[in-house]
């Protein structure tokens, strides 16, 4: 039995997975708003918050390779479910603690859980769809994630005004976020296990030594360093640089997420005329100017630029990240995804620490100019190192 989607048919398991993805997006939409403000309410500085977030992302980095290998053995759905439960435990712990030591322990648990989710998210959906639906499944996952995160961000932004009797609304929000992750963990385990081929023949070091894998990991590291230099503390930038309130910050996060959703239909239109390579090349070039302008932008322009940057980021995911995944042999994708998450989250850890340092100094212009330089480096890595190893879906040559 299959569920129709336009002139295509998605298997029921894939549709169910997309529904579950809503819990992930809603939970992280709340987390994006509530966590930094929760830590700030306990008197932590932006630099301390950046370090805490960095610890969590580093835990994701060091554990994701293991999670990828584990998913090759027991299935993507089971590893993802385990991750949802671990993140839920972490957020419940943070919401019921005021101890800095427990914050760090909980962030480490969060990092391990997030590694389980992120190392399986892309290969899980592509394992549940038909071969010709892989790009569609990947794009729908991004779309669903961002759309549900809109609801989470809006909810978190307006929650303090909707329920003013709560002395610490961010605690309640973290509990709600934890519940969303718990739902993800308790439902994703029902998804079917992907068929595995040649499991015993795949050696971890063989995957790691592949030139295409190393080039893709380097690209991911720089990409996610750029991402977290901007996004890891965006709510603090909006509050402390521009003086915006929580409800406005939540609304702006939702606007950013909506912008991310819009990237998917735009890409579908661009595919009619342009290849993955052409779209990616243009996006990576434009991104440099977007981030450079953030350095001195007034609030209205800054918001527009953040939305543009989010669209650009999703263009990169669809036109670079997914083709990279599809360039890896099927029986190695779990291992590769784990390595990819590891390199990505080392970059995110570094980006969070950089962002926290610059924000604590009030040097916002310096933060964005440094990030623009990283975008230039990302362009060079893509064109000079990655492109020769990316196999296009239609096997067409890159012009």
């Amino acid at each position: 039995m299959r569920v129709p989607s336009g002139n295509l048919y998605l298997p029921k398991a894939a549709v169910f997975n997309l529904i579950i993805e809503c819990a992930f997006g809603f939970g992280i939409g709340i987390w994006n708003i509530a966590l930094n403000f929760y830590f700030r309410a306990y008197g932590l500085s932006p630099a301390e918050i950046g370090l805490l977030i960095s610890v969590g992302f580093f835990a994701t980095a060091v554990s994701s390779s293991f999670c990828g290998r584990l998913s090759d053995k027991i299935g993507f759905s089971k590893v993802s479910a385990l991750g949802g439960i671990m993140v839920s435990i972490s957020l419940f712990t943070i919401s019921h603690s005021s101890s800095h030591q427990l914050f760090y322990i909980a962030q480490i648990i969060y990092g391990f859980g997030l590694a389980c989710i992120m190392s399986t998210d892309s290969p899980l959906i592509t394992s549940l769809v038909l071969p010709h639906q892989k790009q569609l499944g990947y794009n729908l996952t991004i779309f669903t994630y961002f759309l549900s995160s809109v609801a989470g961000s809006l909810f978190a932004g307006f929650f303090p005004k909707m329920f003013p009797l709560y002395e610490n609304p961010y605690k309640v929000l973290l509990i709600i976020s934890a519940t969303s992750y718990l739902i993800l963990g308790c439902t994703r385990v029902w998804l079917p296990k992907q068929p595995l081929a040649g499991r015993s023949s795949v050696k971890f070091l063989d995957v790691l030594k592949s030139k295409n894998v190393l080039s893709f990991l380097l690209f991911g590291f720089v990409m996610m360093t750029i991402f977290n230099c901007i996004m890891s503390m965006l709510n603090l930038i909006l509050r402390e640089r521009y003086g915006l309130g929580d409800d406005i910050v939540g609304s702006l996060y939702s606007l950013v997420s909506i912008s991310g959703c819009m990237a998917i239909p735009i890409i579908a239109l661009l595919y009619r005329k342009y290849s993955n390579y052409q779209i990616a090349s243009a996006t990576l070039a434009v991104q440099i100017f977007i981030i450079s302008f953030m350095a001195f932008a007034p609030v209205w322009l800054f918001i527009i630029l953040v939305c543009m940057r989010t669209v650009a980021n999703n263009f990169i995911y669809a036109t670079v990240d997914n083709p990279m995944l599809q360039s890896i042999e099927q029986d190695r994708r779990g291992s590769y995804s784990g390595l990819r998450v590891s390199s990505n989250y080392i970059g995110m850890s570094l980006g969070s620490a950089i962002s926290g340092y610059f924000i604590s100094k009030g040097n916002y212009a310096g933060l964005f100019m440094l990030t623009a330089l990283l975008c230039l480096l990302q362009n060079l890595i893509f064109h000079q190192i990655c492109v020769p190893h990316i196999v296009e879906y239609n096997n067409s040559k890159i012009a």
Side-chain angles (χ1 to χ4, degrees):
M1 295 290 293
R2 293 170 187 162
V3 178
S5 177
N7 61 343
L8 298 171
Y9 292 84
L10 291 179
K12 279 190 174 181
V15 175
F16 183 55
N17 182 63
L18 290 173
I19 295 172
I20 298 171
E21 191 76 15
C22 292
F24 183 30
F26 186 75
I28 208 164
I30 295 174
W31 181 89
N32 282 333
I33 301 293
L35 186 72
N36 289 346
F37 288 165
Y38 180 83
F39 287 148
R40 203 75 169 105
Y42 278 102
L44 274 66
S45 69
E48 291 173 316
I49 296 172
L51 182 60
L52 264 173
I53 295 174
S54 180
V55 166
F57 288 151
F58 187 77
T60 300
V62 299
S63 59
S64 55
S65 296
F66 168 77
C67 294
R69 288 291 291 170
L70 183 63
S71 69
D72 278 337
K73 294 180 179 179
I74 69 172
F76 300 135
S77 57
K78 289 183 174 60
V79 173
S80 183
L82 175 63
I85 292 171
M86 291 182 70
V87 171
S88 178
I89 291 172
S90 165
L91 295 181
F92 276 124
T93 301
I94 291 174
S95 65
H96 288 84
S97 174
S98 59
S99 166
H100 290 194
Q101 288 78 13
L102 272 180
F103 286 162
Y104 279 101
I105 294 172
Q107 278 294 95
I108 292 172
I109 297 173
Y110 173 88
F112 288 152
L114 191 62
C116 292
I117 297 173
M118 296 304 297
S119 64
T120 57
D121 211 40
S122 298
L124 175 58
I125 185 62
T126 56
S127 73
L128 296 174
V129 298
L130 301 176
H132 68 280
Q133 296 174 331
K134 292 184 183 296
Q135 184 72 57
L136 174 65
Y138 188 92
N139 288 351
L140 284 175
T141 300
I142 296 175
F143 181 82
T144 303
Y145 167 82
F146 272 92
L147 192 63
S148 55
S149 70
V150 170
S153 297
L154 274 175
F155 180 78
F158 284 94
F159 186 86
K161 285 191 174 181
M162 291 166 56
F163 302 96
L165 295 180
Y166 285 113
E167 182 179 348
N168 188 349
Y170 307 118
K171 174 180 179 177
V172 181
L173 286 170
L174 287 179
I175 292 173
I176 296 172
S177 180
T179 304
S180 292
Y181 279 102
L182 185 61
I183 292 171
L184 182 148
C186 293
T187 53
R188 194 160 268 180
V189 72
W190 298 341
L191 291 169
K193 181 179 178 180
Q194 78 277 10
L196 302 177
R199 178 192 310 166
S200 61
S201 65
V202 177
K203 297 184 181 299
F204 178 77
L205 288 179
D206 290 341
V207 177
L208 184 59
K209 289 178 181 178
S210 301
K211 289 184 179 180
N212 58 344
V213 169
L214 290 175
S215 66
F216 298 166
L217 296 182
L218 178 61
F219 180 87
F221 167 75
V222 177
M223 180 176 75
M224 300 314 292
T225 301
I226 293 167
F227 180 86
N228 256 24
C229 280
I230 299 171
M231 298 303 295
S232 65
M233 296 197 181
L234 179 62
N235 55 348
L236 290 182
I237 293 173
L238 292 171
R239 178 194 269 185
E240 301 190 7
R241 185 187 191 187
Y242 295 110
L244 303 181
D246 289 4
D247 54 341
I248 298 177
V249 170
S251 299
L252 293 178
Y253 261 82
S254 297
L255 178 62
V256 170
S257 296
I258 291 171
S259 301
C261 293
M262 294 304 298
I264 305 306
I266 293 173
I267 288 177
L269 293 174
L270 291 175
Y271 277 151
R272 297 178 181 179
K273 290 187 64 176
Y274 305 103
S275 67
N276 278 332
Y277 173 75
Q278 291 171 320
I279 298 171
S281 296
T283 302
L284 289 167
V286 170
Q287 179 181 242
I288 299 174
F289 297 99
I290 292 174
I291 294 177
S292 296
F293 292 147
M294 287 181 182
F296 308 102
V299 62
W300 63 270
L301 179 58
F302 181 80
I303 293 165
I304 293 173
L305 292 171
V306 171
C307 290
M308 292 175 64
R309 156 63 192 157
T310 303
V311 172
N313 196 67
N314 282 357
F315 276 21
I316 296 170
Y317 272 130
T319 61
V320 180
D321 194 55
N322 187 45
M324 285 178 176
L325 175 64
Q326 300 309 318
S327 298
I328 305 297
E329 296 89 338
Q330 176 66 42
D331 61 351
R332 297 186 176 198
R333 287 180 186 172
S335 298
Y336 164 70
S337 293
L339 287 168
R340 181 187 61 171
V341 172
S342 180
S343 63
N344 285 1
Y345 276 83
I346 291 173
M348 292 181 76
S349 178
L350 177 61
S352 297
I354 291 171
S355 183
Y357 173 79
F358 276 93
I359 292 173
S360 66
K361 302 293 184 181
N363 188 2
Y364 301 102
L367 172 63
F368 294 119
M369 293 309 296
L370 174 61
T371 307
L373 289 175
L374 290 174
C375 290
L376 180 60
L377 176 62
Q378 183 185 31
N379 267 266
L380 295 173
I381 292 171
F382 174 71
H383 289 288
Q384 300 301 318
I385 302 177
C386 294
V387 167
H389 301 294
I390 297 176
V391 178
E392 293 285 344
Y393 284 111
N394 55 9
N395 293 321
S396 64
K397 293 182 179 180
I398 297 173

